[in-house]
Amino acid sequence: MGSMGKVLGVGLVVGCAVAMCVVAGTMVGKRVKSRRRWTKVVKVLEEFEEGCATPVEKLRQVVDAMAVEMHAGLASEGGSKLKMLLTFVQNLPNGSEKGVYYGLDLGGTNFRVLRVQLGGQRSAILEPGVERQPIPEHLMTSTSEELFDFIAASLQKFVEKEGNGSVALEGKLRELGFTFSFPMKQASVSSGILIKWTKGFSIHDTVGKDVSECLNQALERRGLDMRVAVLINDTVGTLALGHYHDEDTVAAVIIGTGTNACYLERSDDIIKCQGLLTTSGAMVVNMEWGNFWSSHLPRTSYDIELDSESPNPNDQGFEKMISGMYLGDIVRRVILKMSQESDVFGLSFSKLLTPFILRSPLIAAMHEDDSPDLREVARILGEILEIGDVPLKVRKLVVKVCDVVTRRAARLAAAGIVGILKKMGRDGSGSTASGKVKGGSHTKMRRTVVAIEGALYTSYTLFREYLNDAIADILGEDISSHVVLKVMEDGSGMGAAVLAAAYSSSGQDTL
Ligand code: BGC
């Protein structure tokens, strides 16, 4: 090789080395950038997790705040964000009810019609026929007449499908328990005025109207031989069915599309209705705990944005941190923030801008994905959010976000339940009416059953486990072993029918 060749050769080598350095430099640069982006995303997660923290001391503050607000809501009308609504249900079913009754359940994602035949012996709910259907979305924002006509038509179809055995007795109307799961001001067990809509319903001309009358009129328009015997909240239905099966049941909780609780209160403690005469000395109070608020609640910027962009800002604050309608949207907002801070979700994430695109069953499916490569997470990100090729470590991040949101929700709901026990003196803390009964030489805790319904608790295992664990964390193993959370399947609708039975022949107290 001549000198020229050597020079060329050396030049080539040097050139290659420079090029390699440039490539390597770019790669290092890219890696540094990508590490920086990853750090940013992790920071979003860490801050969110910190904001959602629910150590047991915090939960105890929420318990106390719940009990304090319950007192305030019972003391005066408007005394608290907790409405503590009277239900006029003073006697809960005890298993001796007899006859055929109907239940109608409106309030969540689905609408249910059912029929029960009661044989007069507990557990003898015979031939329950249940029909479920999703509520057509347009009806949620239509007119009162359209909504109630739809309900009456569904009832009519249901009744027409039944055999001859169910024909109403001559001159006697069939009795219906109507579960209407929105806040109502009641003056009797069979009527109630809608205070406001929640859970995405918004039909202006129903607010201020008597809901029973709306339905009775729609039934009449169709010539249906039925009337509303009791009008109740879904929590009350769940409590009624719980008590029908087990008389230690004193409270009920719903954690589904929305969330709420009710419990049996002593009439004397309902100060805002002094002189309230009840035959049993007690009345079921619908707390409307979805609207509970306390400065102790762990609230993040995502919750604040969700609330301000909702159709009911400053309303239902507790519900917006707990219930199925909102969990997915908190997750969506956190993932959206991550994708805006970096490109870990790629560059096209426009679907993430769609409110409520992630429903809670999807959150549960991602959270509970136990495949090693998180296949379900990848599928949902791809099919629902149209984000493909998400690396495993980013999928893990998504699971973690679901975990943080769900854990906070479940633990706050647990604190709410313990708050009720505290108000009822059944949390083992006091000495007098503290739920302790004398048993031989030492006092022992009274068994307390809380009926529970709603898909978050019944169908989302991790949610249920977090909630149960939190109750034990707050109360301690010893006390919590006396508290039983019992799932009441179809409790809200079935309970309405059973209550219709309990109230069909007895007189109804009114204010
Ligand atoms: C309603 C309650 C209902 C709860 C559960 C809330 O949004 O205000 O009345 O009990 O959802 O369905």
Side-chain angles (χ1 to χ4, degrees):
M1 195 189 286
S3 61
M4 193 58 177
K6 264 187 202 158
V7 170
L8 269 180
V10 171
L12 211 61
V13 171
V14 172
C16 280
V18 170
M20 275 164 68
C21 278
V22 172
V23 170
T26 321
M27 275 166 62
V28 170
K30 266 193 185 160
R31 226 177 288 140
V32 169
K33 263 195 203 153
S34 115
R35 203 175 309 137
R36 236 181 259 146
R37 282 193 299 257
W38 181 248
T39 313
K40 271 189 175 175
V41 172
V42 171
K43 195 156 163 250
V44 171
L45 175 66
E46 281 171 357
E47 279 175 6
F48 179 59
E49 198 175 2
E50 211 173 293
C52 289
T54 49
V56 71
E57 309 77 55
K58 190 176 250 313
L59 292 182
R60 293 213 175 97
Q61 289 172 324
V62 176
V63 168
D64 291 346
M66 181 65 82
V68 166
E69 291 301 317
M70 288 172 78
H71 276 284
L74 289 171
S76 63
E77 207 67 68
S80 160
K81 290 203 91 171
L82 283 185
K83 288 203 166 61
M84 308 298 285
L85 300 169
L86 305 188
T87 63
F88 292 86
V89 172
Q90 301 153 21
N91 296 299
L92 288 167
N94 57 15
S96 64
E97 294 73 15
K98 278 186 186 157
V100 173
Y101 294 88
Y102 295 80
L104 186 86
D105 185 2
L106 174 78
T109 312
N110 290 311
F111 165 78
R112 273 167 281 203
V113 187
L114 54 88
R115 186 181 92 120
V116 298
Q117 182 163 351
L118 308 172
Q121 281 161 6
R122 174 165 289 135
S123 84
I125 295 181
L126 304 172
E127 306 171 35
V130 185
E131 212 158 81
R132 284 189 190 84
Q133 53 178 306
I135 299 162
E137 220 168 303
H138 71 274
L139 285 181
M140 292 166 65
T141 51
S142 61
T143 65
S144 211
E145 198 168 312
E146 268 185 86
L147 177 71
F148 287 98
D149 274 341
F150 163 80
I151 300 172
S154 308
L155 256 174
Q156 187 164 35
K157 266 188 232 140
F158 182 82
V159 171
E160 278 168 4
K161 264 196 233 156
E162 291 179 309
N164 284 341
S166 72
V167 173
L169 292 176
E170 193 80 24
K172 214 175 161 248
L173 295 172
R174 296 169 209 249
E175 302 208 79
L176 178 67
F178 182 17
T179 305
F180 183 75
S181 311
F182 302 93
M184 290 180 287
K185 186 162 178 55
Q186 298 197 256
S188 79
V189 77
S190 59
S191 65
I193 288 166
L194 174 64
I195 299 174
K196 64 174 187 186
W197 289 105
T198 55
K199 297 174 282 198
F201 278 78
S202 172
I203 307 171
H204 300 296
D205 67 330
T206 324
V207 177
K209 279 194 186 149
D210 181 342
V211 183
S212 281
E213 222 170 273
C214 291
L215 182 57
N216 280 332
Q217 284 165 0
L219 294 173
E220 256 173 56
R221 280 197 292 274
R222 300 207 149 247
L224 219 68
D225 58 346
M226 245 184 196
R227 66 155 191 131
V228 176
V230 293
L231 174 68
I232 57 163
N233 185 258
D234 50 357
T235 52
V236 180
T238 304
L239 174 58
L241 189 69
H243 198 270
Y244 178 87
H245 289 303
D246 182 338
E247 284 183 39
D248 286 341
T249 313
V250 289
V253 174
I254 304 275
I255 315 173
T257 309
T259 184
N260 190 13
C262 75
Y263 72 108
L264 198 59
E265 181 57 282
R266 295 182 324 131
S267 312
D268 291 351
D269 267 13
I270 311 180
I271 315 264
K272 64 182 173 186
C273 263
Q274 267 190 354
L276 179 70
L277 280 182
T278 70
T279 38
S280 64
M283 185 182 282
V284 176
V285 173
N286 166 15
M287 294 173 59
E288 285 296 327
W289 87 1
N291 202 37
F292 167 68
W293 192 251
S294 154
S295 58
H296 296 300
L297 292 175
R299 199 182 201 201
T300 67
S301 57
Y302 306 98
D303 301 301
I304 294 171
E305 276 167 25
L306 182 148
D307 179 55
S308 68
E309 289 167 23
S310 73
N312 54 349
N314 289 321
D315 237 7
Q316 301 295 100
F318 199 48
E319 176 160 282
K320 284 172 182 161
M321 293 172 116
I322 293 179
S323 80
M325 172 147 182
Y326 302 100
L327 288 196
D329 213 50
I330 306 174
V331 172
R332 175 189 72 85
R333 283 166 191 275
V334 180
I335 301 179
L336 177 62
K337 173 81 173 168
M338 289 173 163
S339 53
Q340 286 164 340
E341 293 279 304
S342 77
D343 59 359
V344 289
F345 290 97
L347 296 173
S348 95
F349 51 82
S350 61
K351 283 275 170 190
L352 267 177
L353 295 165
T354 313
F356 297 104
I357 192 165
L358 284 180
R359 303 206 158 260
S360 53
L362 296 174
I363 302 301
M366 294 199 285
H367 194 186
E368 297 182 336
D369 183 355
D370 55 6
S371 63
D373 53 346
L374 297 177
R375 235 169 301 138
E376 190 58 13
V377 178
R379 186 189 69 76
I380 290 169
L381 292 177
E383 283 177 16
I384 308 291
L385 298 177
E386 295 176 5
I387 302 173
D389 298 327
V390 178
L392 185 57
K393 68 173 182 177
V394 179
R395 286 180 228 166
K396 286 186 179 161
L397 214 63
V398 173
V399 174
K400 182 67 192 171
V401 176
C402 296
D403 184 66
V404 171
V405 173
T406 296
R407 186 167 189 272
R408 179 183 69 164
R411 288 173 70 80
L412 290 179
I417 294 172
V418 180
I420 300 175
L421 299 181
K422 187 177 175 100
K423 169 69 186 71
M424 298 186 89
R426 286 174 180 249
D427 65 334
S429 62
S431 56
T432 47
S434 63
K436 290 177 179 158
V437 284
K438 283 243 187 272
S441 56
H442 57 282
T443 47
K444 63 180 178 63
M445 278 290 299
R446 210 187 306 173
R447 178 171 175 268
T448 296
V449 180
V450 178
I452 188 159
E453 211 210 343
L456 280 202
Y457 191 82
T458 58
S459 313
Y460 190 168
T461 311
L462 288 173
F463 184 97
R464 183 168 57 244
E465 285 173 3
Y466 278 143
L467 192 152
N468 293 343
D469 289 352
I471 290 192
D473 279 359
I474 304 170
L475 289 176
E477 293 291 341
D478 216 23
I479 307 260
S480 68
S481 65
H482 299 275
V483 177
V484 183
L485 262 57
K486 252 196 193 177
V487 171
M488 282 299 129
E489 193 133 4
D490 274 321
S492 46
M494 204 94 112
V498 175
L499 262 178
Y503 275 84
S504 71
S505 48
S506 67
Q508 296 162 12
D509 294 1
T510 53
L511 257 189

